[in-house]
Amino acid sequence: MTTPEMSLKAAQVKAVHRMLAFNEESAATYDNDFSLPPAGSSNNQWKILIYDAACRSIISPILSVQQLRRRGVTLHLLLNSEREAIPDVPAIYFCRPTKENLAIIAQDCAKGLYARAHLNFVTKLDRELMEEFAKLVVQTGSLDKVASVHDQYLDYVCLEKRLFSLHKVNSYAIYNGSGTTEAMMEQAMTDIAYGLFSVVATLGHIPIIRCPKGGAPEMVARKLNRMISEHPTLLRNKSSITRPLVVILDRNADLITPIQHTSTYQALIDDLLKHQANRVEFEVVQDPDSNRPKKTQKRFDLDPDEDRFYSAHKFQPFPEAIESNGAELQEVTAREQEIRSKTGGADPAVDPLSSGANDLANAVESLPALLNRKKQLEIHTSILQAVMNEVAARDVPQFYELESALATGTYKNDPAKAKQKVLAFVGDADKGSVEDKIRLIMVYALTTAAKTAELDEVGTALQQACEMKAAQDASVRQVLSNGLKAISYLKKLRSMHMIPSAADMLQELQATPGGEKSSSHVFSSLMAKATTQATDLLAKATDKVTSMLGKINKHHATVVVENLCEMKPGTEDETYLYLDPKVKGDVDVIKLQAMTRATVREAIAFVIGGGCYGEYQNLQMVANDRRQISYGSTELLNASAFLSQVGQLG
C-alpha cells in the first residue's frame, strides 16, 4: 500500500521493482538504487526480462537500461522475437495475458530456454486461459519450469508523477464510430475499467467514483466499482487515510481542449514537435543562409520529474520559459567562469586542497554538477529554439489568441465579428498551416451558435485559400480532406444535439494566480534579455509571442473536478453519479450533502476518448499543497492525432 504522499509513478516503480525481485516483499525496501545489494549477488541475482510491446511501453518511461541493470537484468528482450537459450539464468516474463503470449511462454518452457520462468501478467489472467496454459506445460512435461504466476495490475503507462495513459490507440474513433458493435463497445469499456483498476490497485486505496449519468463514463464507472468491490484483498484496507476521488469524463463533453492551440512550454512541445513517451525529436538547419544548408536530426529524452528546468517550467507560458532559460543559463555560466578563474584554468581534477582553500575545494567539487545542469539548460535552449521556429512560422500566438477569445465568449454578443475574424484567418494563405486553420474552424463551430450555412462559408474559404498548396502537395491534400471530414462530423453532432451547446461550451474566464501581471510588462522584461544565448531566439519574432502571456482559463474537466472536490452546491456534485465500492448500490448524493464529508486530498481525472497535455496542465490550476490532481486518459494525443481520428468519423 502506498503513502498519501507517494505519486502514481512512484507506486508503479515500486511495484515493478518488486516484480524484478521475483515478487519478494523485502525488495520494496530498496527504493534507492544505490542501496541495493550488488547485481549478481544472492539478494539481487542476475535475470532476463522478457516483455511484449505493450509492457515495454510501460517499463520504458519509468526505468532506464542502467536502472534495470542495477536490478540484475542482464538482457531485456521482446517476447515474440527469436531468443537464444540461456538455461542457467531465470527469466521474468511481463506481458498481456493473451492466448498467443501464453503459447510462446509454454514453448519456451518446453525448450528449456531458461532456468525458471516467473510469469507476471499486466492484468488479470482469466481462469480459462490459465487452464489452457496449464495443459500445454503439463503435456510437454515442463511444469517444473514455471516458478510463479502473478497478476500485477500495472496496465497503464505512467509518463510523469501524476500523468498516465491506458495506451488505447485510436480510442475516440473506435468509441464513436458507427461500425462499433455493442459487443465491441462493451469489451472496450471493460478494458478501460481494468486499466483504471490497475491504477487503483497500485495506489492501494479505495476511491470514491464520480461520473456523469449515462454513456461510456457510467459504463466504466459501474464496471470499476464492481471490480474493486469483488476484489479479495483490496477491500481489506481499513486505513483511515482520506480516500482518492476518481472522476470519469467523456471526451465529447469538451472537444475544444484537444483541438485548441496552447501556450505553455510542455504542451507546445507536444503540439509542434515530434513528441512521444517523453522523447522529443526535431530537425535543426545549420547555416540556413548558405547555398547548401545542412539539416541534422536532434533527439532528446526528457524527464518531466527529475529534469530541474523542465519540472519547474513545463507548465509556464512559453515566453516565460524562454526568459527563465536565459536567466538560469546566464547564472550557471557566470558561476562556471568564477570557479575556473579561481583555479587559474587548471584541470578541475587537480586536488584543490593544495591551494589551502576549503571553499575553493567545495566549488571545484560542485563543478561537474554545475556543468551537467548547464548541459540540460542548453538542451532546453535547443528545444525552445525549435518550438519558436514553429511558433513564428505558423503564427501560433494569433491562433491561440482568437481561439481563446472564442472559447471564453468574447464574441458571444457579436457573432458577425466572430465570423469575420475567422474568415480573415482562414482566407489568408500565408497565415498558419492548413491544420491550424481547420482547428480554428472547429473551435468556432464548437463555441458559437453559427449556422450550418456559415460553417459552410468558412469551409469554402478554407478550400480556396489552400487550393494552390493542395494541388502541389499530396500531404496538404490529405490534411485538408481529413479536416473537412472532421468539420462535417462536428456539424452532424451539433444537429443531433450530441455535444454540449455553444453556451455550455464557453469556458469561464478565470485568471491563474499572478495572472494579473500585464503582458506588456512581462514581455518587455523578456526583450531586455534578448541578447542572451537563450532569448536571442526572440529577436526575429518579438511581435509573435506577446498574446501567449496573461490569463489562462479553466477548461471543462478542471471546472468539474474543482466542483466535485470542493462539493460546491448547484454543480456536478449534485448531478453526477456517486459510487462507493464499500457500499452496495448507488449512494444518494442529496442525503450526503446534509452530512460532513471528508476533504478530498487526491483526485484522479480520467477522460474516455483521448486526453492531451493542455488538459493535464490546466487541471493543475486546482491542485494545491493540500490536494493532488492526477490525470489519465485512454490515450494521450496532440491536436494533429485527434483531428485525424475525428476525420475518420466524418
Side-chain angles (χ1 to χ4, degrees):
M1 188 179 70
T2 66
T3 61
E5 294 80 15
M6 185 177 284
S7 68
L8 178 61
K9 180 180 176 182
Q12 189 183 44
V13 169
K14 188 174 182 179
V16 171
H17 283 170
R18 186 171 56 246
M19 178 186 77
L20 294 177
F22 306 108
N23 292 289
E24 292 180 9
E25 286 297 329
S26 58
T29 60
Y30 298 115
D31 291 331
N32 186 333
D33 281 356
F34 297 100
S35 68
L36 277 168
S41 65
S42 58
N43 293 321
N44 187 16
Q45 61 180 298
W46 296 119
K47 77 272 296 183
I48 296 168
L49 175 62
I50 299 166
Y51 45 35
D52 59 7
C55 291
R56 178 176 61 183
S57 298
I58 293 168
I59 294 285
S60 296
I62 60 173
L63 291 177
S64 66
V65 172
Q66 188 179 24
Q67 288 170 321
L68 287 172
R69 182 80 175 180
R70 288 197 190 111
R71 297 276 163 178
V73 176
T74 57
L75 286 172
H76 41 96
L77 307 167
L78 277 171
L79 180 64
N80 60 358
S81 64
E82 286 190 22
R83 290 170 278 113
E84 294 181 5
I86 311 177
D88 56 344
V89 178
I92 293 176
Y93 288 84
F94 184 40
C95 61
R96 290 193 175 280
T98 65
K99 191 172 183 178
E100 295 75 18
N101 285 348
L102 288 165
I104 294 173
I105 296 170
Q107 193 175 37
D108 287 355
C109 292
K111 291 179 180 177
L113 291 187
Y114 312 110
R116 301 292 295 278
H118 298 261
L119 312 186
N120 298 272
F121 297 105
V122 73
T123 189
K124 184 181 178 181
L125 172 63
D126 290 334
R127 186 177 184 84
E128 185 181 335
L129 281 174
M130 183 168 60
E131 290 175 350
E132 191 173 329
F133 174 73
K135 287 179 183 176
L136 288 173
V137 291
V138 168
Q139 286 171 1
T140 55
S142 53
L143 182 60
D144 61 321
K145 289 290 184 182
V146 180
S148 62
V149 180
H150 297 270
D151 293 336
Q152 290 293 349
Y153 294 113
L154 293 170
D155 197 10
Y156 57 94
V157 178
C158 220
L159 297 169
E160 297 183 22
K161 286 181 179 177
R162 305 192 183 278
L163 174 66
F164 69 95
S165 162
L166 298 190
H167 211 53
K168 306 293 183 187
V169 181
N170 213 32
S171 59
Y172 184 81
I174 291 172
Y175 304 156
N176 293 278
S178 58
T180 303
T181 64
E182 191 174 329
M184 289 167 64
M185 191 66 173
E186 184 75 25
Q187 184 58 52
M189 297 303 105
T190 300
D191 290 344
I192 294 172
Y194 267 123
L196 281 174
F197 179 80
S198 289
V199 170
V200 171
T202 305
L203 291 172
H205 300 299
I206 309 300
I208 299 296
I209 306 166
R210 304 298 304 269
C211 71
K213 294 177 181 177
E218 182 173 348
M219 287 178 69
V220 171
R222 291 197 179 280
K223 287 176 181 289
L224 175 61
N225 185 59
R226 186 167 61 252
M227 287 176 186
I228 298 171
S229 63
E230 292 176 355
H231 194 267
T233 59
L234 204 53
L235 280 179
R236 292 178 192 167
N237 175 21
K238 302 297 182 183
S239 172
S240 60
I241 295 172
T242 305
R243 296 163 65 186
L245 175 71
V246 174
V247 183
I248 303 174
L249 302 166
D250 190 339
R251 180 74 279 156
N252 282 323
D254 174 18
L255 292 173
I256 299 172
T257 299
I259 294 168
Q260 191 176 354
H261 285 83
T262 58
S263 65
T264 54
Y265 181 32
Q266 186 183 46
L268 280 168
I269 289 176
D270 192 61
D271 189 2
L272 303 178
L273 306 181
K274 186 178 178 183
H275 180 237
Q276 187 72 30
N278 293 331
R279 171 171 288 180
V280 59
E281 297 180 49
F282 53 90
E283 196 173 69
V284 174
V285 180
Q286 296 174 331
D287 300 323
D289 299 326
S290 66
N291 294 331
R292 299 182 66 181
K294 184 181 178 183
K295 294 182 179 180
T296 57
Q297 197 73 17
K298 295 276 187 180
R299 176 188 297 169
F300 299 111
D301 288 313
L302 299 176
D303 189 331
D305 300 318
E306 300 301 324
D307 183 324
R308 183 171 165 181
F309 178 83
Y310 198 35
S311 176
H313 303 294
K314 62 187 178 183
F315 295 158
Q316 278 192 333
F318 181 58
E320 291 182 14
I322 293 174
E323 180 186 28
S324 299
N325 180 260
E328 289 187 31
L329 196 55
Q330 203 170 37
E331 176 195 331
V332 169
T333 303
R335 179 66 178 148
E336 179 198 357
Q337 289 173 347
E338 180 188 345
I339 293 172
R340 291 192 186 280
S341 65
K342 285 181 178 179
T343 60
D347 185 350
V350 175
D351 185 5
L353 294 177
S354 59
S355 67
N358 289 331
D359 58 334
L360 180 61
N362 293 333
V364 172
E365 284 178 9
S366 70
L367 188 58
L370 195 71
L371 292 176
N372 185 56
R373 186 182 167 203
K374 182 181 179 182
K375 181 182 177 183
Q376 284 298 115
L377 287 169
E378 287 172 343
I379 286 172
H380 283 285
T381 302
S382 181
I383 296 170
L384 285 161
Q385 176 74 66
V387 172
M388 175 54 92
N389 291 342
E390 291 294 317
V391 164
R394 290 168 52 177
D395 299 292
V396 170
Q398 294 181 50
F399 280 92
Y400 168 75
E401 187 176 19
L402 179 54
E403 288 167 0
S404 295
L406 289 167
T408 52
T410 302
Y411 301 108
K412 185 178 180 180
N413 299 320
D414 195 352
K417 188 175 181 180
K419 188 178 83 168
Q420 180 188 349
K421 286 271 189 181
V422 173
L423 279 170
F425 272 63
V426 170
D428 188 341
D430 297 323
K431 191 179 290 294
S433 67
V434 176
E435 192 173 89
D436 293 324
K437 297 176 195 291
I438 292 164
R439 289 165 67 177
L440 173 60
I441 294 172
M442 292 180 75
V443 171
Y444 172 62
L446 289 163
T447 58
T448 69
K451 296 175 183 175
T452 301
E454 292 176 308
L455 293 177
D456 290 340
E457 181 184 348
V458 174
T460 301
L462 171 69
Q463 287 179 283
Q464 291 172 348
C466 303
E467 191 174 6
M468 188 175 293
K469 287 182 181 177
Q472 297 171 347
D473 191 331
S475 63
V476 172
R477 280 198 303 275
Q478 177 63 36
V479 171
L480 179 59
S481 172
N482 188 78
L484 292 171
K485 289 176 183 176
I487 295 167
S488 174
Y489 177 70
L490 281 193
K491 288 192 289 188
K492 183 169 71 175
L493 288 184
R494 287 196 346 161
S495 66
M496 297 170 67
H497 304 289
M498 293 180 69
I499 53 176
S501 66
D504 292 335
M505 291 293 281
L506 293 180
Q507 299 158 5
E508 183 181 358
L509 188 61
Q510 298 265 1
T512 54
E516 297 302 319
K517 193 174 182 182
S518 73
S519 297
S520 59
H521 173 75
V522 177
F523 192 68
S524 64
S525 69
L526 292 186
M527 295 318 301
K529 300 178 182 179
T531 54
T532 66
Q533 180 179 354
T535 53
D536 184 55
L537 58 91
L538 284 172
K540 297 179 181 178
T542 56
D543 61 334
K544 291 184 181 290
V545 295
T546 51
S547 61
M548 301 176 83
L549 294 159
K551 296 179 179 179
I552 298 175
N553 315 306
K554 291 179 182 175
H555 296 182
H556 172 74
T558 305
V559 173
V560 170
V561 170
E562 183 178 36
N563 289 341
L564 293 172
C565 286
E566 298 183 3
M567 306 161 205
K568 293 181 179 179
T571 66
E572 290 83 2
D573 188 47
E574 294 183 359
T575 59
Y576 271 35
L577 202 64
Y578 189 112
L579 298 174
D580 184 345
K582 293 185 176 182
V583 178
K584 287 187 177 180
D586 297 0
V587 176
D588 189 335
V589 184
I590 305 301
K591 288 182 180 178
L592 275 181
Q593 289 175 336
M595 303 164 60
T596 301
R597 285 188 274 172
T599 304
V600 176
R601 302 288 186 195
E602 181 177 6
I604 301 169
F606 182 82
V607 182
I608 298 172
C612 61
Y613 278 92
E615 192 162 52
Y616 161 56
Q617 294 179 4
N618 196 264
L619 274 160
Q620 303 313 308
M621 291 173 68
V622 295
N624 52 45
D625 293 338
R626 300 179 305 278
R627 181 169 63 220
Q628 300 289 343
I629 309 288
S630 297
Y631 174 73
S633 57
T634 45
E635 60 180 324
L636 267 177
L637 302 164
N638 62 15
S640 180
F642 186 69
L643 268 182
S644 176
Q645 291 195 36
V646 178
Q648 294 175 40
L649 304 171

